[in-house]
């Protein structure tokens, strides 16, 4: 593992920048976002540093300001299963608002990362004062639920190629163009329940068929939407 997570000096300007890029805060007035920034506290994690681990009590909302965080858990066979990858503006820990759950997975920085944190007590008080924030949070949770359901549906597909095709259709919104993968190919393989070697083979197969083109390490160019739809699960 990398260096442990460390607290940083609170800066209102930095925290305001952080909360302003989060979708659930963007529709709030400037003074309301400032109120949120006042109760946020920054933490810093080097690559490989754990933000939290299983069995720790969940009492904090974490917002990625810079860097990237991946959520994963370990299967009985010891293999990692990637649940989500968070980029700047994404957040985790909202379940702490509603229950005294403990974390069931790992949150790990994949590169040098800064996060803004809001305690359960502070966020609950904000929700009481800012009804629009409560509505935005519920909307974000609904999107999170749909994403989790989509991933569960993909993982239920026994064949790796249709599973990958279904993911790429979602990523590209079924439109021709060049898209950046939101996570490394290693993490994408774990997210889709396959090995990195299998993912590479399936990407090469789609490329050979003229459906996609891989561009560098993290970009996919969708060339033929209809052909990808034909491969994806019906």
């Amino acid at each position: 593992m990398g260096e442990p997570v460390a607290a940083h000096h609170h800066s209102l300007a930095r925290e305001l920048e952080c909360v302003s890029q989060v979708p659930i805060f963007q529709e709030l007035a400037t003074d309301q976002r400032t109120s949120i920034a006042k109760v946020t506290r920054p933490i810093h994690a080097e690559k490989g540093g754990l933000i939290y681990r299983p069995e720790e009590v969940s009492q904090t909302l974490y917002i990625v300001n810079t860097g990237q965080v991946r959520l994963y858990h370990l299967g009985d066979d010891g293999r990692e299963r990637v649940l989500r990858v968070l980029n700047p503006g994404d957040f985790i820990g909202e379940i702490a608002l509603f229950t005294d759950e403990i974390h069931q997975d790992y949150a790990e920085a994949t590169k040098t990362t800064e996060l803004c944190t809001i305690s359960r007590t502070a966020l609950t008080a904000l929700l009481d004062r800012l009804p629009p924030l409560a509505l935005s949070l519920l909307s974000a949770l609904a999107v999170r639920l749909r994403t989790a359901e989509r991933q569960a549906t993909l993982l239920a597909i026994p064949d790796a190629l249709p599973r990958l095709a279904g993911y790429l259709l979602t990523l590209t919104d079924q439109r021709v163009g060049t898209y950046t993968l939101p996570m490394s190919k290693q993490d994408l393989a774990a997210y889709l329940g396959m090995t990195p070697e299998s993912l590479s083979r399936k990407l090469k197969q789609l490329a050979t068929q003229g459906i996609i083109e891989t561009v560098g390490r993290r970009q996919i160019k969708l060339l033929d939407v209809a052909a990808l739809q034909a491969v994806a699960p019906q």
Side-chain angles (χ1 to χ4, degrees):
M1 297 296 177
E3 294 296 321
V5 172
H8 268 201
H9 177 69
H10 175 71
S11 163
L12 181 59
R14 183 166 57 189
E15 269 51 85
L16 183 57
E17 175 189 358
C18 181
V19 301
S20 294
Q21 66 179 326
V22 181
I24 62 171
F25 299 143
Q26 286 175 350
E27 294 186 8
L28 299 177
T30 300
D31 62 325
Q32 294 174 326
R33 290 200 299 270
T34 300
S35 296
I36 297 171
K38 287 179 178 178
V39 298
T40 66
R41 293 296 179 268
I43 59 174
H44 176 89
E46 294 295 334
K47 180 179 180 179
L50 289 178
I51 314 303
Y52 60 73
R53 65 185 71 219
E55 306 305 321
E56 292 182 352
V57 179
S58 173
Q59 293 184 330
T60 305
L61 183 76
Y62 298 91
I63 303 166
V64 179
N65 187 14
T66 61
Q68 187 180 72
V69 173
R70 68 184 187 125
L71 304 185
Y72 68 92
H73 69 244
L74 297 178
D76 294 336
D77 58 0
R79 291 176 58 182
E80 291 183 6
R81 160 82 182 284
V82 175
L83 305 174
R84 290 177 58 211
V85 171
L86 293 90
N87 293 297
D90 293 334
F91 61 92
I92 47 175
E94 67 284 347
I95 196 67
L97 296 174
F98 309 105
T99 177
D100 290 324
E101 287 277 338
I102 61 172
H103 290 295
Q104 302 295 324
D105 46 45
Y106 295 86
E108 178 189 50
T110 63
K111 59 181 72 173
T112 300
T113 299
E114 282 197 6
L115 304 99
C116 306
T117 67
I118 306 177
S119 70
R120 176 179 182 172
T121 301
L123 193 52
T124 300
L126 287 170
L127 291 172
D128 288 339
R129 290 164 41 206
L130 305 173
L133 177 57
L135 293 175
S136 293
L137 183 59
L138 288 174
S139 178
L141 291 176
V143 171
R144 186 79 48 82
L145 178 60
R146 286 198 299 271
T147 301
E149 290 174 340
R150 190 179 303 119
Q151 184 189 18
T153 300
L154 286 175
L155 290 175
I157 300 168
D159 296 331
L161 187 61
R163 201 183 311 155
L164 174 59
Y167 172 81
L168 292 177
L169 284 175
T170 299
L171 174 69
T172 62
D173 198 23
Q174 305 190 43
R175 291 182 291 186
V176 169
T178 301
Y179 300 87
T180 300
L181 295 174
M183 61 190 86
S184 69
K185 288 181 180 177
Q186 181 175 347
D187 284 341
L188 178 58
Y191 180 80
L192 293 175
M194 55 179 90
T195 65
E197 295 77 17
S198 178
L199 175 64
S200 294
R201 287 195 300 269
K202 300 309 177 184
L203 287 170
K204 185 176 181 179
Q205 184 175 343
L206 292 175
T208 300
Q209 295 174 6
I211 298 174
I212 68 167
E213 178 183 334
T214 56
V215 184
R217 298 178 61 184
R218 291 284 293 270
Q219 288 189 316
I220 299 292
K221 186 175 183 180
L222 177 55
L223 304 172
D224 190 333
V225 174
L228 188 62
Q229 290 171 334
V231 176
Q234 302 302 313

